[in-house]
Amino acid sequence: MLSAFVNAFRTPDLRRKLLFVLGIIVLFRLGSMTPAPGIDVANVQQCIDTASAGENGNLFALINVFSGGALLQLTVFALGIMPYITASIILQLLVVVIPRLEALKKEGQAGQAKITQYTRYLTLGLAVLQATGIVALARSGRLFGGACTQDLLYHPDSIPAFLLIVLVMVAGTAIIMWFGELITDRGVGNGMSILIFTQVIATFPGALWQIKAQAASEREGWITFSLVILVGLLVVAGVIFIEQAQRRIPVQYAKRMVGRRMFGGSSTYIPLKVNQAGIIPVIFASSLMYLPALLAQFNEGSSWATWVNDHFVRGDHPYYMITFFTLIVFFTYFYVAITFNPEEVADNMKKYGGFIPGIRAGRPTQDYLQYVLSRITAPGALYLGLIALIPMFAIALLNASQNFPFGGTTILIIVGVGLDTVKQIESQLQQRNYEGFLRS
């Protein structure tokens, strides 16, 4: 991995791309630390410290998991990547339900560009709703529950000041989408994933160090810290091993004459990864898991809000774990189903004279691919769910769940995005080396 980055910096073109990505990340983090106009920074920070030490501290860690600590600080990029993730979930669900969107998806790049445009519009709409709700909570003093009674805004009763903060947060969401597209087009790809990685990694060191700092004694703190690091390294090793695992289905192409030339006769394979869905199911499940806790803040004192706070705030609660695991499994099957179409793959193979040895072309190939895909998706879904839960169990046993409740999610995102980014860099390095070989 390190050698790939070293070789990339030795290549002028890739070096410019990596420096461009680093520049975007710096601007992204700068916007995540810059308070929106009209925010009383001192009062907000005091409320964060008070709320984090209270009984609902795990809720605020949950809300901040995809904002890098920017949401509760009411910064320009307070909404982070969450509106885009939610919009992507909704659009991918609608593609399966609405025939018009399904037809757009089948049109190829032009149709996908149209769906991406719809996603942007929906992202801005969701950003308006989320920004309005968050600023309304800050205006009424309920953003931190009952942990803080200070004014978070300089002008809490001013409608223009309220609208200005909402406008700035929505504009921040639009800029984040633009940053992601810039990284994808002019950087090393995976723009949105890199931004998610940046937000998650921003709070990782501080949350990890809190485990040591809040121990009863110095010796106990270092022991707990060392055990958490050991568990994290074991999980990282397991994640890397599974992420590289794949089932290779051999494909043989028959020879055919086109004019006077012979084509085909080559052998290749279809790589089906054990974790075909990547980190997307974990991101989807995590984004949905924080919604009940956030909605409960709007209805404090009601019976359902009390039930949510009792069962879906603490990461080590059985109800929370079961729901989180179920959502991950569901989104794994769902995402694989909409991204890999066995019927389309079988038709393309038949069109170009390809076949799987021992399997007839057409419907038998489609059934075989569907069978293999379902068999390989099951362990992939269980792997994602267990990896997300194992750190919760381990850290809960160490009495540190409040400080580091999303170990599994954090590690999956960090390792998954890191591996994808390295693969992108290696593929571009191979392309440039290959071109250099041809020129020589």
Side-chain angles (χ1 to χ4, degrees):
M1 179 180 295
L2 294 178
S3 62
F5 282 100
V6 171
N7 293 330
F9 271 99
R10 291 175 179 172
T11 306
D13 186 23
L14 282 180
R15 182 170 61 246
R16 285 193 296 269
K17 289 186 176 183
L18 291 176
L19 292 176
F20 177 79
V21 172
L22 291 176
I24 293 293
I25 290 176
V26 170
L27 293 176
F28 179 57
R29 288 305 302 160
L30 183 63
S32 299
M33 301 299 294
T34 304
I39 302 298
D40 192 329
V41 178
N43 287 352
V44 169
Q45 188 59 49
Q46 185 176 351
C47 290
I48 291 175
D49 296 337
T50 303
S52 299
E55 61 180 3
N56 289 329
N58 197 39
L59 169 61
F60 302 119
L62 170 62
I63 293 175
N64 270 339
V65 69
F66 287 127
S67 68
L71 177 58
L72 296 179
Q73 293 178 355
L74 300 175
T75 64
V76 175
F77 291 166
L79 301 180
I81 208 74
M82 281 303 305
Y84 184 83
I85 294 175
T86 307
S88 298
I89 294 174
I90 295 174
L91 259 297
Q92 292 195 12
L93 288 171
L94 293 180
V95 164
V96 183
V97 177
I98 301 178
R100 169 60 180 165
L101 293 178
E102 187 177 1
L104 283 176
K105 182 182 178 182
K106 294 180 179 179
E107 290 180 4
Q109 186 175 359
Q112 188 60 45
K114 199 70 175 178
I115 294 177
T116 301
Q117 187 176 4
Y118 293 155
T119 305
R120 294 172 188 157
Y121 293 151
L122 183 57
T123 299
L124 293 179
L126 293 175
V128 171
L129 295 177
Q130 293 185 18
T132 303
I134 291 170
V135 179
L137 286 175
R139 185 184 184 191
S140 63
R142 292 189 299 162
L143 181 62
F144 297 93
C148 183
T149 58
Q150 303 180 16
D151 288 335
L152 303 179
L153 311 181
Y154 284 120
H155 307 286
D157 298 328
S158 173
I159 297 298
F162 176 91
L163 296 177
L164 176 61
I165 299 174
V166 171
L167 179 63
V168 168
M169 288 185 177
V170 174
T173 300
I175 293 174
I176 290 174
M177 284 194 297
W178 181 52
F179 281 170
E181 293 177 0
L182 283 177
I183 294 176
T184 301
D185 296 338
R186 301 177 56 184
V188 293
N190 298 327
M192 290 299 177
S193 298
I194 290 177
L195 294 182
I196 294 173
F197 172 87
T198 302
Q199 288 184 325
V200 171
I201 200 66
T203 58
F204 184 83
L208 191 59
W209 186 252
Q210 283 294 321
I211 297 175
K212 184 263 177 190
Q214 295 189 4
S217 63
E218 185 76 13
R219 181 174 178 272
E220 181 181 346
W222 281 112
I223 292 175
T224 303
F225 180 80
S226 301
L227 289 176
V228 172
I229 291 293
L230 179 60
V231 171
L233 291 176
L234 293 175
V235 173
V236 167
V239 168
I240 294 175
F241 178 78
I242 299 296
E243 289 294 327
Q244 303 299 321
Q246 60 182 221
R247 168 75 181 274
R248 296 182 175 182
I249 299 178
V251 177
Q252 181 73 36
Y253 285 92
K255 294 181 179 181
R256 55 195 179 95
M257 291 291 296
V258 179
R260 295 184 179 182
R261 302 183 64 180
M262 179 75 71
F263 291 91
S266 60
S267 298
T268 184
Y269 61 87
I270 301 174
L272 294 181
K273 297 178 62 177
V274 173
N275 182 21
Q276 188 79 6
I279 63 172
I280 299 300
V282 180
I283 296 174
F284 283 3
S286 298
S287 64
L288 290 183
M289 286 301 296
Y290 101 100
L291 290 178
L294 183 61
L295 292 176
Q297 295 295 307
F298 290 92
N299 297 273
E300 292 182 1
S302 62
S303 58
W304 72 269
T306 303
W307 187 87
V308 168
N309 289 329
D310 291 340
H311 298 86
F312 283 91
V313 172
R314 293 189 58 84
D316 56 350
H317 195 282
Y319 284 6
Y320 181 93
M321 290 184 177
I322 292 173
T323 306
F324 189 41
F325 181 85
T326 304
L327 285 175
I328 290 176
V329 173
F330 167 76
F331 278 119
T332 301
Y333 275 94
F334 170 75
Y335 192 76
V336 169
I338 64 176
T339 56
F340 186 89
N341 189 349
E343 181 179 1
E344 182 179 354
V345 174
D347 289 342
N348 290 334
M349 289 172 55
K350 185 178 181 180
K351 184 186 302 182
Y352 294 103
F355 62 93
I356 300 174
I359 307 295
R360 295 180 59 186
R363 185 56 183 268
T365 299
Q366 175 186 340
D367 295 339
Y368 177 76
L369 291 175
Q370 184 64 53
Y371 170 76
V372 174
L373 188 64
S374 62
R375 290 282 299 272
I376 206 170
T377 302
L382 295 177
Y383 144 77
L384 285 177
L386 290 176
I387 288 295
L389 292 182
I390 286 176
M392 292 184 184
F393 283 114
I395 297 171
L397 293 176
L398 298 171
N399 296 322
S401 61
Q402 180 169 321
N403 299 319
F404 193 38
F406 283 98
T409 306
T410 304
I411 292 175
L412 280 169
I413 292 175
I414 291 173
V415 176
V417 176
L419 288 175
D420 288 342
T421 304
V422 170
K423 288 179 180 178
Q424 290 278 351
I425 294 174
E426 288 180 344
S427 65
Q428 295 194 30
L429 281 173
Q430 291 176 358
Q431 180 181 1
R432 281 158 178 77
N433 291 336
Y434 184 63
E435 289 175 350
F437 175 73
L438 285 180
R439 284 195 298 268
S440 63

